Amino acid sequence: GSLEILSRRLSYSLVWFPGSADMITRMRCATFVLLVIPLHTNAVIDKFEGKCEKLFNPWLRARYMGLFWPSTSGPSVGESYILKYEYQEFFASQPAWLEEYFDHKRKRAKIKAVSLGVEFVDIYDFATQTVTSYKSRKPSTSGWDPQTQDECGIYNIKTFKSQYLHMGFPCVPKSSDTCGMPSAKQALRYGGSYQYSSRGSIMNPSTRNINSKLYTACIDDEFMNGTYESYYYWGGDDLSFPFPSGGKEMPVRIEQHGKYWNYTTEDEFRIVKNIPWYQKDPEFSDDMFQIPHSMYCKSYTKLHEIPAMPRSFSFSQEELGFNLNSTGFLAGGFSPLSFKQIWYSDNLTYARVDMNPSQEDKGGPILKNVSGIYGHVSIVLDFPYDLAFLAHSANDECHILPIDKDFFLCTGEGNKCEQIGREKLFGMTGNLSYKGKYKESGFEGETWSRLQVDEKNPKMKLRHEVSFQAATPQAESNSARKEFIPIQQADYREEISGRKDKQEFKQQVRITNYYEFNRTQPELDVYVKHPCLQRFKSKLYTLEFDGPGLAETNKARFLPQLWRAIKNVCKPETMLRFELLDLRSPVWISEKVVYLRILDPFKENDTKTDIFFLKIKEHVDAETFAVCFKGFTKVLEEKRDAVDSNEVYVG
């Protein structure tokens, strides 16, 4: 009776990974050596003596007598590896295929299993302390065959338990609050502290008739809390040709069997790997550790957050669109939409966009009110003033227009244009989940995504993605947060239609690529020296004052602060009417000279230019005109009694 029960247990656990998608989830007792489940604290053998025959009943001990020879190092497994192997589930006719990718240098690893057209993947990122886990299947189609997901999630690596696979990579050290990456020796339970003994050469059908050297050890496994025999068959040393993976010698078969504690229950443990592919210290590509590009993953951890944004910035963006038909080819080719350069000032409530507009842009908000647009267009927006100043290369006209609330730099809400928020400008709205690292436009980036289903058409998926430049190693070693540098924003409108046996896939894609992102506050000249404003009627004034070299040597900071001082004094409807042309120190006089240009009113009821002049003079006379910058206040005092209509002398 006991012999029959033990025989059944060994046969049942011979294949640790089942051959069907349903059984992958159901057979939790069939466990791989890299199992990640909570186990009892006591190993099967309390005092390990290197004799695994103690694990088995007396009738089996004869098999292991004389098994262990003196310890030897054996072949090296390297620091990183790629391991691929096929196995046959005991009760199923379909084989399963597994792949392990272990990149110790970049602190990442992956396990992938494929069975009956279903792919199960766990991707470990030890650098970010996350695991991305998903399963996907491919629909049967006559042409384009995209992967469609059943489920994908991102989890904290320390508490992760795979829903699909019963193997994983251990945390080192086991007791730490964070999860350090193990070595290849710890992942494979071979070499290092695992002492193996050589047992000679073996060649039989289990090694595919490859003459192999057998190395054995009794493993006291702290990670899975078990003790088991481990057999490594290394073959190929005497072959006249290398293996398909390029190596001359590799493990062609691995067997490990013994016992482990599952909570308070003692369970059998047995795995067999027949290995056609093993690479030691290979070159890895980022594609090996990425989820399918069309997949959306829900985040169950807050370990990854979008970097903090600056309040003001400038950048360039390129927009393009294309459609994919059911064969996976472009329908109509790429459609370049437009190229834009954008300046955004949150504290000044200004924005500027220079663009080569597409036909869609020309028929859209603001531009549709101007005829004859050809070539380059430049627009400055003063959001509180609710006016847009447009100039284009076709002629010298300046167009002053109301800001259309549907313009892309507006929120699109309410009755008038409100300056678009920084998050919405870069598509960072809604419930975005961290997706992983990708290379976008030649840069290594990190991607967040959001998935929506069209309520009117459940077969229609709307997928939105935003990508930001990944931190450099220097930034990652610093305690400060990573810098916000956008790379790409993409929107995918996907639809799968037709019968189940003949499905058609269609996808509409719109991509925005970002370039030359600058985190600094745009210079005032970007707005006040706009071509449209340069052509507008104005009056020129000079402000002359005595002063040390402070104003002159800090010219780049002094003029913007003087501009703000004028704003406080004059309180105009829009400060775009004021332009500080330059600060000079003529050699024939001791004073500093600022050239001030005041534009005529843009609207009929705006303040007249002479009123601004009188306000400035009034404060100068009262010695209450002050320019403050960087902890220094410069009081401008009147120097002369005579002031004509075009000059203000201050000292």
Side-chain angles (χ1 to χ4, degrees):
S2 61
L3 175 61
E4 182 181 359
I5 293 173
L6 179 59
S7 176
R8 287 178 179 175
R9 293 181 71 181
L10 289 176
S11 298
Y12 182 75
S13 60
L14 175 64
V15 179
W16 55 272
F17 198 90
S20 69
D22 294 335
M23 295 181 68
I24 287 175
T25 304
R26 194 164 59 242
M27 289 181 60
R28 303 197 71 91
C29 62
T31 310
F32 178 49
V33 64
L34 302 180
L35 183 71
V36 183
I37 58 175
L39 299 170
H40 195 270
T41 56
N42 295 321
V44 176
I45 298 179
D46 294 329
K47 295 182 179 180
F48 178 66
E49 298 176 357
K51 296 182 179 180
C52 285
E53 60 266 29
K54 288 186 177 182
L55 290 170
F56 301 95
N57 289 338
W59 69 274
L60 285 174
R61 289 183 184 173
R63 173 184 172 187
Y64 304 103
M65 294 303 294
L67 178 66
F68 300 98
W69 291 21
S71 176
T72 180
S73 59
S76 169
V77 295
E79 297 296 324
S80 302
Y81 66 86
I82 296 176
L83 184 66
K84 301 180 182 181
Y85 45 97
E86 187 180 36
Y87 65 92
Q88 181 76 36
E89 201 268 328
F90 188 76
F91 296 105
S93 59
Q94 292 291 336
W97 179 258
L98 269 81
E99 298 179 5
E100 298 179 21
Y101 299 81
F102 189 86
D103 184 0
H104 194 271
K105 182 179 180 180
R106 298 285 298 275
K107 305 300 180 186
R108 55 188 180 176
K110 182 177 80 170
I111 300 176
K112 179 174 78 171
V114 180
S115 178
L116 296 177
V118 182
E119 185 174 274
F120 304 84
V121 179
D122 291 338
I123 303 173
Y124 291 71
D125 190 333
F126 291 89
T128 63
Q129 294 290 289
T130 60
V131 178
T132 301
S133 178
Y134 72 87
K135 71 173 180 178
S136 66
R137 66 181 71 245
K138 293 185 176 182
S140 298
T141 64
S142 57
W144 175 248
D145 197 20
Q147 286 184 302
T148 58
Q149 69 187 64
D150 291 333
E151 185 176 347
C152 178
I154 302 171
Y155 306 88
N156 188 316
I157 194 172
K158 186 65 177 179
T159 58
F160 171 70
K161 296 178 183 178
S162 181
Q163 299 182 53
Y164 317 118
L165 306 177
H166 305 302
M167 71 288 286
F169 294 98
C171 292
V172 179
K174 185 177 179 181
S175 59
S176 174
D177 293 335
T178 59
C179 188
M181 188 172 189
S183 65
K185 299 180 181 69
Q186 290 171 315
L188 295 171
R189 275 45 169 205
Y190 182 89
S193 61
Y194 304 107
Q195 299 296 317
Y196 278 74
S197 300
S198 175
R199 197 187 173 194
S201 297
I202 293 178
M203 184 172 66
N204 56 37
S206 65
T207 64
R208 304 191 297 281
N209 291 320
I210 298 173
N211 188 30
S212 304
K213 296 177 182 177
L214 173 61
Y215 295 87
T216 63
C218 191
I219 305 298
D220 187 20
D221 196 325
E222 63 172 317
F223 300 113
M224 65 172 293
N225 204 11
T227 308
Y228 50 85
E229 290 183 359
S230 181
Y231 297 77
Y232 266 77
Y233 298 82
W234 286 82
D237 186 45
D238 59 346
L239 294 178
S240 60
F241 53 87
F243 286 101
S245 57
K248 183 65 177 173
E249 185 179 22
M250 73 174 202
V252 296
R253 181 179 173 90
I254 299 174
E255 297 180 35
Q256 292 170 330
H257 44 85
K259 297 181 180 180
Y260 70 94
W261 281 95
N262 184 0
Y263 298 97
T264 58
T265 304
E266 182 182 287
D267 285 342
E268 299 289 344
F269 167 72
R270 184 178 182 95
I271 64 167
V272 177
K273 302 178 184 178
N274 292 308
I275 305 169
W277 187 282
Y278 178 82
Q279 287 176 275
K280 181 175 73 173
D281 297 324
E283 292 291 331
F284 293 94
S285 67
D286 291 335
D287 292 340
M288 295 177 179
F289 300 91
Q290 293 176 359
I291 65 174
H293 206 73
S294 61
M295 183 169 286
Y296 167 79
C297 297
K298 183 178 180 181
S299 180
Y300 296 93
T301 174
K302 296 186 179 298
L303 287 175
H304 240 88
E305 295 182 352
I306 295 176
M309 297 181 64
R311 301 195 66 83
S312 299
F313 42 79
S314 61
F315 61 93
S316 299
Q317 70 177 44
E318 173 192 39
E319 299 176 44
L320 57 93
F322 58 89
N323 298 325
L324 293 178
N325 57 26
S326 58
T327 62
F329 292 97
L330 291 174
F334 287 97
S335 301
L337 300 178
S338 66
F339 184 87
K340 299 181 177 72
Q341 189 172 7
I342 297 171
W343 295 263
Y344 181 101
S345 294
D346 182 68
N347 57 336
L348 296 177
T349 63
Y350 294 150
R352 173 174 171 173
V353 54
D354 291 3
M355 66 173 114
N356 292 317
S358 63
Q359 288 301 122
E360 181 182 353
D361 290 327
K362 292 178 182 179
I366 299 180
L367 277 72
K368 66 183 179 182
N369 299 313
V370 180
S371 60
I373 289 181
Y374 176 80
H376 187 78
V377 174
S378 181
I379 304 173
V380 163
L381 300 101
D382 185 333
F383 293 99
Y385 193 49
D386 197 28
L387 279 187
F389 301 85
L390 184 149
H392 62 95
S393 57
N395 55 49
D396 292 333
E397 294 180 1
C398 174
H399 300 271
I400 302 178
L401 307 164
I403 305 178
D404 192 320
K405 70 180 184 67
D406 294 324
F407 193 60
F408 79 97
L409 290 175
C410 302
T411 60
E413 302 170 358
N415 297 324
K416 59 175 291 186
C417 173
E418 299 289 343
Q419 185 176 15
I420 191 171
R422 298 167 295 155
E423 292 79 8
K424 189 173 182 179
L425 179 61
F426 293 103
M428 295 162 48
T429 57
N431 186 22
L432 292 171
S433 292
Y434 179 69
K435 183 175 180 179
K437 293 184 178 181
Y438 293 87
K439 279 196 173 179
E440 303 285 2
S441 305
F443 297 95
E444 183 177 278
E446 298 181 324
T447 299
W448 279 257
S449 65
R450 180 181 70 242
L451 184 68
Q452 293 176 277
V453 178
D454 194 326
E455 295 180 357
K456 297 181 180 179
N457 184 5
K459 292 185 177 181
M460 178 75 71
K461 290 183 180 179
L462 307 175
R463 185 162 48 88
H464 175 76
E465 294 183 355
V466 290
S467 299
F468 308 97
Q469 188 168 323
T472 61
Q474 292 83 359
E476 288 179 338
S477 63
N478 197 319
S479 59
R481 298 185 67 180
K482 294 178 290 187
E483 289 188 346
F484 174 88
I485 303 177
I487 299 176
Q488 186 181 91
Q489 181 180 166
D491 289 284
Y492 304 88
R493 188 179 182 89
E494 303 169 351
E495 182 178 14
I496 297 177
S497 59
R499 301 190 310 271
K500 187 175 182 180
D501 59 340
K502 189 177 181 181
Q503 295 179 328
E504 290 189 357
F505 174 80
K506 295 180 181 179
Q507 186 181 64
Q508 298 176 351
V509 183
R510 184 160 183 155
I511 293 177
T512 301
N513 294 316
Y514 298 106
Y515 308 98
E516 301 173 329
F517 185 82
N518 190 325
R519 299 171 56 86
T520 60
Q521 165 75 48
E523 297 289 340
L524 277 173
D525 288 353
V526 169
Y527 308 109
V528 299
K529 293 186 182 299
H530 185 260
C532 186
L533 301 177
Q534 294 296 299
R535 302 165 188 159
F536 207 80
K537 186 178 180 181
S538 62
K539 290 183 179 180
L540 181 64
Y541 298 86
T542 60
L543 295 173
E544 297 184 8
F545 58 94
D546 283 329
L550 179 68
E552 185 178 6
T553 57
N554 293 272
K555 178 179 175 180
R557 288 160 44 209
F558 177 77
L559 288 180
Q561 296 305 324
L562 176 59
W563 186 83
R564 287 174 173 81
I566 293 173
K567 178 180 180 180
N568 293 332
V569 168
C570 296
K571 295 180 173 55
E573 293 81 7
T574 174
M575 276 300 291
L576 293 179
R577 288 183 61 187
F578 294 85
E579 179 187 0
L580 298 175
L581 298 175
D582 202 359
L583 169 66
R584 296 290 182 88
S585 297
V587 295
W588 60 89
I589 58 175
S590 61
E591 295 87 0
K592 304 295 185 290
V593 179
V594 173
Y595 297 94
L596 170 65
R597 179 170 168 258
I598 304 179
L599 279 64
D600 286 359
F602 301 128
K603 297 179 181 179
E604 184 177 350
N605 296 327
D606 283 354
T607 305
K608 304 301 181 184
T609 301
D610 292 342
I611 301 298
F612 292 145
F613 169 77
L614 293 175
K615 286 185 178 182
I616 295 174
K617 183 178 183 303
E618 178 184 349
H619 280 272
V620 170
D621 292 342
E623 299 183 5
T624 56
F625 196 118
V627 178
C628 305
F629 65 105
K630 203 68 175 181
F632 180 86
T633 300
K634 175 64 180 175
V635 178
L636 303 184
E637 301 173 351
E638 184 179 8
K639 184 174 179 61
R640 303 179 185 178
D641 295 333
V643 178
D644 64 27
S645 60
N646 288 330
E647 295 180 325
V648 178
Y649 297 94
V650 295

